Amino acid sequence: AARETYPRFSPDGSQVAFARFNPAAGGFGYDVFIASVSGGEERRVTYHPDLDFPVNWTGDGQRILIVSFRHRTSIFGGRLYTIPVQGGFATEVPLPRGWQASFSPAGDRIAYTPLTPTHEFAGWRNYRGGTASKIWLSRLSDASSEVIPHGNFNDTHPTWIGDKVYFVSDRTGTENLFSYDTVRKTISQLTHFEKYGVKSASSNGESIVFNRDGAIHLLNLQTNKVTPI
């Protein structure tokens, strides 16, 4: 018996990384495991006593991007690392902190949110406090960065596809899906929900899957059509 959460498919869909909390094993936090979608025993890949969660994968499927609190300075101080799918030592992504993240297709840049999204865990709609979430785009070679144009609102759940970063934002008052064109530096709104907002989103590189109103939906990026699953 254990609590399992944060499932993340590998790029080819053959494996799932997830976090497991087993209080019977002692320690404080979650560790990252990998399971094959075809069945078989799961494999543990992190062994740190503090919190480790899978966030994403590298594009080649050889490493898992995780957020770890092993060097935290506060509850908002998670940092990003990559770890081989076979297990081993974690390699720190050269950023001071991070929570949600997605590598660019070339793997040379990363879109990430620096802080743990307080409003998501607390359930505060239209949170406008000091930890309002921004999305940074950072080049890994020299740490040069830009922020997706931002005001007093929350941008979360970045996913990088081609030249665009797709994300969830409550900049219109209700959480909707948006895209940021990294070449043209423009933002487009993709959904226009008014009552119930988008709570989370991710992608397989072709469609955006998101949670809204207690159900899972797909956004076709070619037609901009939303289909409930």
Side-chain angles (χ1 to χ4, degrees):
R3 181 180 300 168
E4 296 172 342
T5 185
Y6 290 96
R8 298 290 185 266
F9 271 116
S10 62
D12 65 0
S14 67
Q15 300 180 91
V16 177
F18 63 94
R20 172 182 288 171
F21 175 64
N22 186 356
F28 174 71
Y30 286 79
D31 276 296
V32 178
F33 290 74
I34 296 178
S36 171
V37 299
S38 60
E41 187 174 357
E42 68 278 4
R43 183 174 69 257
R44 185 175 179 178
V45 295
T46 67
Y47 289 84
H48 198 275
D50 214 322
L51 301 168
D52 287 337
F53 300 106
V55 175
N56 215 316
W57 294 66
T58 56
D60 59 8
Q62 297 302 305
R63 301 180 71 89
I64 305 168
L65 178 65
I66 69 170
V67 58
S68 177
F69 288 78
R70 60 189 66 193
H71 294 137
R72 65 163 132 185
T73 57
S74 72
I75 61 173
F76 306 111
R79 304 182 78 166
L80 295 170
Y81 300 78
T82 63
I83 191 165
V85 294
Q86 300 84 4
F89 291 105
T91 300
E92 186 175 352
V93 178
L95 299 169
R97 60 179 62 185
W99 179 253
Q100 301 159 343
S102 176
F103 287 109
S104 65
D108 60 333
R109 302 177 71 189
I110 188 170
Y112 73 102
T113 56
L115 299 177
T116 307
T118 305
H119 68 289
E120 289 190 9
F121 289 107
W124 296 333
R125 190 173 190 182
N126 290 324
Y127 171 76
R128 297 295 185 260
T131 60
S133 183
K134 303 178 182 179
I135 297 175
W136 288 68
L137 311 181
S138 181
R139 190 173 301 278
L140 299 176
S141 61
D142 59 7
S144 59
S145 300
E146 64 175 301
V147 181
I148 289 180
H150 190 270
N152 189 21
F153 41 73
N154 296 279
D155 293 340
T156 59
H157 299 281
T159 181
W160 205 318
I161 304 173
D163 291 331
K164 295 181 179 180
V165 176
Y166 296 84
F167 61 99
V168 178
S169 178
D170 64 0
R171 59 184 62 208
T172 62
T174 301
E175 303 95 330
N176 275 283
L177 290 172
F178 292 77
S179 67
Y180 174 65
D181 190 313
T182 60
V183 177
R184 299 179 179 179
K185 311 298 183 183
T186 56
I187 292 177
S188 300
Q189 184 171 350
L190 305 179
T191 63
H192 297 81
F193 303 120
E194 295 182 357
K195 186 174 183 181
Y196 301 116
V198 177
K199 298 307 177 187
S200 63
S202 61
S203 172
N204 65 349
E206 298 177 356
S207 300
I208 302 292
V209 61
F210 63 93
N211 173 22
R212 174 186 175 268
D213 193 18
I216 298 174
H217 307 259
L218 281 178
L219 171 66
N220 185 312
L221 297 179
Q222 301 302 316
T223 64
N224 212 33
K225 180 181 179 181
V226 173
T227 304
I229 297 178

